[in-house]
Amino acid sequence: MTGSLQRPYALLLGRYGSDTGKLHYAGRRTHLADAQAAAVTPLLVAAIGGHPWPAQLFVNLQSRPTGYHQVAPLVVVEIHADIVTDQGWQWRHAVRMLRVRDVAPDEVPPDLHRRV
């Protein structure tokens, strides 16, 4: 996430891959509204002992590497996303956060493939 643990600005989202079990960067939610930030802030915990992603990420196809705060991948949010992806792992466009879900990360289906 970008911003601070006290006031997140943007969420960097991940999905676990069914082939490797690794957490892949999947996309971003830019500029959280105050209510959205208030919903996720109490759930964010700084990552301790490592994080599955590098210290900087390319958050979109035209970006330079971006620094961010590494948090433990424990929060699940429901989003609305365009189905266009880059090689099946990353949404090309920013997503819209709908709400925080009371779901464990391992309960979320892996990958970005559209489920019908």
Side-chain angles (χ1 to χ4, degrees):
M1 97 43 256
T2 63
S4 69
L5 286 174
Q6 295 74 34
R7 177 47 171 102
Y9 176 77
L11 297 179
L12 302 179
L13 308 170
R15 293 290 296 261
Y16 287 95
S18 61
D19 57 342
T20 64
K22 291 183 180 181
L23 183 66
H24 296 277
Y25 172 70
R28 69 206 183 285
R29 166 60 176 113
T30 59
H31 189 70
L32 292 169
D34 290 339
Q36 293 171 322
V40 298
T41 296
L43 306 173
L44 298 174
V45 178
I48 298 173
H51 191 275
W53 298 342
Q56 294 192 334
L57 290 173
F58 289 93
V59 296
N60 63 43
L61 296 175
Q62 288 79 32
S63 76
R64 293 184 175 160
T66 300
Y68 65 100
H69 294 282
Q70 293 181 335
V71 295
L74 304 173
V75 180
V76 175
V77 295
E78 182 178 344
I79 61 165
H80 180 268
D82 185 328
I83 64 168
V84 179
T85 61
D86 176 21
Q87 300 175 2
W89 287 113
Q90 184 176 336
W91 291 294
R92 284 195 177 196
H93 307 286
V95 303
R96 187 170 51 124
M97 180 181 147
L98 301 177
R99 62 186 170 144
V100 174
R101 296 297 306 261
D102 186 17
V103 175
D106 62 353
E107 295 178 65
V108 177
D111 303 324
L112 291 178
H113 304 291
R114 193 171 177 190
R115 309 246 187 249
V116 181

